[in-house]
Amino acid sequence: MKRRLIATLLVLLLLSAAGKKITAQSMHEFPPLPYAFNALEPYIDQMTMNIHYERHHRGYFNNLVKAVEGTETAKMTLEEIFANMNNHTAIIRNNAGGHYNHVLFWSVMSPYGGGRPKGRLAEAITKSFGSFENFKEQFEESARTRFGSGWAWLSMDKNKNLFISSTPNQDNPLMNVAEKTGTPILGLDVWEHAYYLKYQNRRADYITNFWNLVNWEEVNRRLEQVLK
């Protein structure tokens, strides 16, 4: 019991660190995964997590650092880059998005996730979608129907309303080139490398199992941050 409590506190501490606002400083720092590679089993397997984090995410990070090295862009926050995305190269767009998106993705999952949102987040979801069940259905549809590689998002717009969207490749709703812009508080990676080793072409099963991992406390923290 004592070991489980210590492990839980450690996970929460790491999640808190990973959930902080990404700034230009963290553009040059590769944050640790907030749990062990096998911590999300059986829903996401250890090998997928290892490859996803060490090769894909680290690759985006390394390419971003290289792309901005010695330029004025290196002094900008990722949010500033996203706000004027059409002024930057495709290399920066893909890799800045890839880095930001994955840091968010790791933080909104937890070995102790699942269940239902509570408090202000639950109220906001009910207000925007009618019920938690309606929200889940719409979010799953957005993730399932994203053609090719991309992401599904729950975000808050400038009017403080929640909305669901999907973006291609490593785009996200913070980018001014997105079809609908806002601040993401929950994201699901639907690139094949995120699930193919375990689920093959069964993306729908991967999406359904995602709910067993969602760290609703972190999603609520992000909501509160946007509402400040």
Side-chain angles (χ1 to χ4, degrees), residues 100 154-157 163 173-174 181-186 222 226:
Y100 178 94
L154 173 65
S155 306
M156 178 161 280
D157 65 21
F163 68 93
L174 285 171
T181 58
T183 303
I185 62 173
L186 176 68
R222 289 176 175 272
V226 178

Side-chain angles (χ1 to χ4, degrees), residues 32-136:
L33 192 70
Y35 31 73
F37 289 124
N38 65 351
L40 303 185
E41 291 186 341
Y43 308 111
I44 301 179
D45 60 284
Q46 179 175 348
M47 183 176 292
T48 293
M49 286 298 300
N50 192 308
I51 293 172
H52 198 169
Y53 174 78
E54 291 289 358
R55 301 185 193 178
H56 292 279
H57 184 187
R58 192 179 292 274
Y60 291 121
F61 169 76
N62 289 340
N63 289 335
L64 174 62
V65 171
K66 183 178 179 180
V68 302
E69 185 176 6
T71 71
E72 288 298 312
T73 303
K75 302 175 184 178
M76 301 172 67
T77 65
L78 291 175
E79 289 86 353
E80 287 171 341
I81 293 173
F82 296 152
N84 296 283
M85 198 71 259
N86 45 340
N87 294 335
H88 298 279
T89 65
I91 292 175
I92 291 177
R93 175 175 176 170
N94 293 334
N95 291 291
H99 180 41
Y100 178 94
N101 295 353
H102 283 90
V103 171
L104 184 150
F105 185 48
W106 308 138
S107 76
V108 298
M109 293 190 294
S110 167
Y112 309 106
R116 301 171 66 95
K118 299 177 181 178
R120 203 168 185 181
L121 175 61
E123 293 172 2
I125 287 175
T126 299
K127 177 183 176 183
S128 296
F129 306 105
S131 68
F132 179 60
E133 289 70 27
N134 287 344
F135 156 70
K136 284 179 62 177

Side-chain angles (χ1 to χ4, degrees), residues 86-218:
N86 45 340
N87 294 335
H88 298 279
T89 65
I91 292 175
I92 291 177
R93 175 175 176 170
N94 293 334
N95 291 291
H99 180 41
Y100 178 94
N101 295 353
H102 283 90
V103 171
L104 184 150
F105 185 48
W106 308 138
S107 76
V108 298
M109 293 190 294
S110 167
Y112 309 106
R116 301 171 66 95
K118 299 177 181 178
R120 203 168 185 181
L121 175 61
E123 293 172 2
I125 287 175
T126 299
K127 177 183 176 183
S128 296
F129 306 105
S131 68
F132 179 60
E133 289 70 27
N134 287 344
F135 156 70
K136 284 179 62 177
E137 182 178 345
Q138 292 177 41
F139 188 90
E140 289 182 9
E141 178 72 8
S142 180
R144 190 169 51 248
T145 58
R146 163 47 56 188
F147 183 77
S149 300
W151 293 74
W153 303 99
L154 173 65
S155 306
M156 178 161 280
D157 65 21
K158 62 182 180 181
N159 296 317
K160 309 301 183 184
N161 295 314
L162 293 177
F163 68 93
I164 292 169
S165 65
S166 70
T167 56
N169 304 315
Q170 292 297 347
D171 286 1
N172 64 56
L174 285 171
M175 296 181 179
N176 68 326
V177 295
E179 184 175 344
K180 185 166 185 178
T181 58
T183 303
I185 62 173
L186 176 68
L188 175 57
D189 188 346
V190 292
W191 282 64
E192 286 189 342
H193 64 242
Y195 63 86
Y196 207 82
L197 289 180
K198 181 176 180 65
Y199 296 95
Q200 288 81 53
N201 65 332
R202 302 190 307 276
R203 181 191 285 188
D205 292 347
Y206 161 71
I207 294 167
T208 299
N209 281 331
F210 175 63
W211 301 117
N212 295 297
L213 300 172
V214 176
N215 178 8
W216 292 113
E217 290 186 8
E218 170 62 15

